[in-house]
Amino acid sequence: MIDSVQKIIPMLIIFGVLILFVVAGLLYKTRESSEYGLSGRYTGSIGGGAAIASNWMSAASFLGIAGISYLYGYLALAYVIGWTGGYVLLLVLLAGQLRRFGKFTAPDFIGERYESSLARLLSAIISILITLIYSMAQFKGIGIIFAWLLGVEYIKGVIIGAVILMAYIILSGVMGVAKSQKLQYFVLIVTFILPLMLLAYKLGYFWVLPQFGYGRAITDLSTEFGINLSSPFSHFNLFQWTALCFTLMFGTVGLPHVLSRFYTVSNIRDARWSVVWGLFFIALIYWSAPAYAVFGRLIEARNGISFPPEVSYKMADIVVLRTALLGGLPIWIVGMLAAGAVSATFFTVAGLLMTGAASVSYDIYYRILNPQASESKRMSVAKGATLFLAILVTIVSINPPGLIAEIAAVAFALAGNTIFPAFLLGIWWSGTNSHGVISGMLTGLLITFAQPLLGGYLPIVNIFFPFTASALCGAPIVILVMIVVSLFTKPPSVEIRRFLAEEVHGEVQ
Amino acid sequence: MSDSDDKFQVNLFRPKSAVMRGEVFAILTVLAVWGISVFGFQLWLALSSLPSGKSFLESFTFFNLPFHYWFTAQMLPLFFIIICVFFNLFIDRLSLRRSRKREGYND
């Protein structure tokens, strides 16, 4: 590989890119700020799309999909489809309606829609749990990159990466750095696609569009070395593939930091069109991600490199960087790729922590515990919560339970089993009440953690509610529970039903 | 059920106003197309497997990739974008007609 002196170049590039964002953010600084992490106004649907995409791109997109593809081939496409198809659901079912409803956070929507502090509290706790699990996946990405960069073991990589991340968040907050989402997205896409084009060129494949060029590498791998990465349902059957795919889709619609994006779009039409642009920007990355894994496998095979399964599993999440190195790309290109991965992870974690902190400071502290709290007091609670959550995530990330994409999938399963049904019925059936949503979300929590809790005693749970893919069967059950409980308990107030009928569904815009 | 219950009822499967009916028609159409494209193709792929374990969908290439792989990895995300564009165009048109009617124009 490369020695530690050479790693100074990637390190300099990473810090250079992070400084670039701070400087750009200061140049485009807006006067608006808020404790909810939603500052940074963007205009128009393309700006909104870039905001959605840069908010979405994380270690799971940048490193995780390639890692799954490297190990399991076709299974990675369940992630690709799940994480793009979910936006179709989001657009048609919620985007415009959420903008019309006009609340700041997911628990805020649930608290207001269902007129219940308990529902607000429960959804805030779930939002914090989602933040913790999803951030754990990101911290694993941070850990492996910094461990590689500094030549230290993973644990030290996580701790050093977490300290740098917190320093970046605090510095950005103190300096009032605005988010320049278009620039963020531009950097992410260039740092991901350019090295891939160079890899395709070096390996002799169609490099202008490596998204198609890697197809021949799949064929070569199969014919020359007998490695078939395109074989469908070889590692997982149709049900498992579908369950994972739909879980990720439902989870996309239920992720609090994704839903928060729609509250700040300037108008409803922009809210809808920004989803389309966001989906296009996200798809550009996902069309490309499996190519890194295919090229990685091919280079290994051509060089006679072979690992036992447990070693491959450990290395899978770093396959993007590893492939760039094995492919002989210039070290500054590898540094660029690492800078993109670090940026993607930092932006996502910043968004996640702020959403989690908003659940603490706004939904729990201000709306439930201390409604008289001043803005500065709420801000202090939000900052404290951000720090506390970051420390908590660092601790739990020291021993990550799976691959980056797998950990992220659990967060999606939780969102798909709880927040998604609450929003879906909250918008589309006025009969859903607080008893229904509380019962449903509790059922969703149980279903999400059914496999680790009950899988040993009830084998059927392992089949229908796998830890990373429980929402295909789980979300319909939760929806049914919400409907049945709502039908047998007191209906929601006339005020909220009138608001839904007249304001949210009154007219299309 | 009281009058107010009925008046302010919102139900995806029982749209009341003409505007909401149009919107729900678009939503259900997109969801049907979306569901069939995602699950339908994978089901076809699984059911069309020959005794050798391979489907004919795997046996030819398209844009350099095995067809089934190209369809899932490349075509489906593109297809999602296309159906989202159609959905938005439909809703834009619905919105325009609504605002023209409100202003007193007739199509």
Side-chain angles (χ1 to χ4, degrees), chain A residues 13-184:
Chain A
I13 293 173
I14 289 172
F15 285 107
V17 167
L18 292 177
I19 290 167
L20 168 76
F21 287 122
V22 172
V23 174
L26 289 173
L27 288 176
Y28 295 108
K29 188 173 174 179
T30 61
R31 291 180 185 279
E32 194 180 3
S33 71
S34 97
E35 76 196 86
Y36 312 118
L38 304 175
S39 62
R41 186 186 294 164
Y42 43 83
T43 52
S45 51
I46 297 179
I52 288 172
S54 66
N55 190 48
W56 177 261
M57 289 306 159
S58 66
S61 307
F62 226 89
L63 305 172
I65 287 184
I68 292 282
S69 188
Y70 175 82
L71 285 178
Y72 305 123
Y74 196 80
L75 182 74
L77 302 190
Y79 286 87
V80 170
I81 301 309
W83 284 339
T84 50
Y87 277 93
V88 179
L89 274 183
L90 189 58
L91 170 69
V92 303
L93 291 171
L94 295 180
Q97 289 78 10
L98 275 186
R99 178 65 184 76
R100 277 180 226 138
F101 203 101
K103 291 294 158 198
F104 286 113
T105 63
D108 202 21
F109 169 86
I110 290 174
E112 294 294 314
R113 164 61 183 84
Y114 295 106
E115 302 167 294
S116 162
S117 293
L118 188 57
R120 180 191 292 274
L121 177 65
L122 184 58
S123 60
I125 292 168
I126 290 170
S127 289
I128 294 166
L129 258 179
I130 292 169
T131 296
L132 287 174
I133 299 169
Y134 201 22
S135 296
M136 200 198 300
Q138 309 308 317
F139 272 52
K140 187 186 176 191
I142 291 173
I144 55 176
I145 292 173
F146 279 94
W148 168 74
L149 270 175
L150 302 170
V152 296
E153 58 194 69
Y154 169 78
I155 294 175
K156 286 180 183 167
V158 171
I159 294 168
I160 293 167
V163 169
I164 294 171
L165 168 67
M166 284 315 294
Y168 184 74
I169 291 176
I170 292 167
L171 185 74
S172 302
V174 170
M175 294 168 79
V177 174
K179 292 175 188 167
S180 43
Q181 276 116 343
K182 282 183 191 169
L183 177 70
Q184 283 179 8

Side-chain angles (χ1 to χ4, degrees), chain B:
Chain B
M1 189 178 268
S2 68
D3 284 351
S4 64
D5 279 346
D6 193 48
K7 190 176 170 189
F8 301 126
Q9 192 187 59
V10 174
N11 187 331
L12 178 65
F13 299 105
R14 286 184 201 159
K16 288 163 84 177
S17 67
V19 175
M20 200 172 154
R21 274 198 294 275
E23 192 182 13
V24 167
F25 165 76
I27 290 171
L28 296 181
T29 306
V30 167
L31 289 182
V33 171
W34 165 86
I36 291 168
S37 65
V38 176
F39 182 65
F41 183 79
Q42 304 309 322
L43 185 65
W44 186 22
L45 185 59
L47 293 179
S48 62
S49 291
L50 301 169
S52 63
K54 235 180 164 186
S55 161
F56 74 97
L57 296 165
E58 300 172 54
S59 59
F60 61 99
T61 58
F62 196 76
F63 282 109
N64 279 336
L65 291 147
F67 177 77
H68 72 291
Y69 194 96
W70 167 81
F71 186 88
T72 309
Q74 312 268 347
M75 184 58 207
L76 276 180
L78 179 64
F79 186 66
F80 294 150
I81 296 168
I82 292 168
I83 56 177
C84 285
V85 167
F86 275 110
F87 176 81
N88 275 349
L89 290 175
F90 182 87
I91 298 294
D92 281 351
R93 207 175 144 183
L94 207 64
S95 172
L96 187 68
R97 283 174 65 180
R98 169 79 181 173
S99 56
R100 282 173 64 86
K101 267 189 185 166
R102 208 172 36 210
E103 288 162 12
Y105 295 101
N106 288 312
D107 286 338

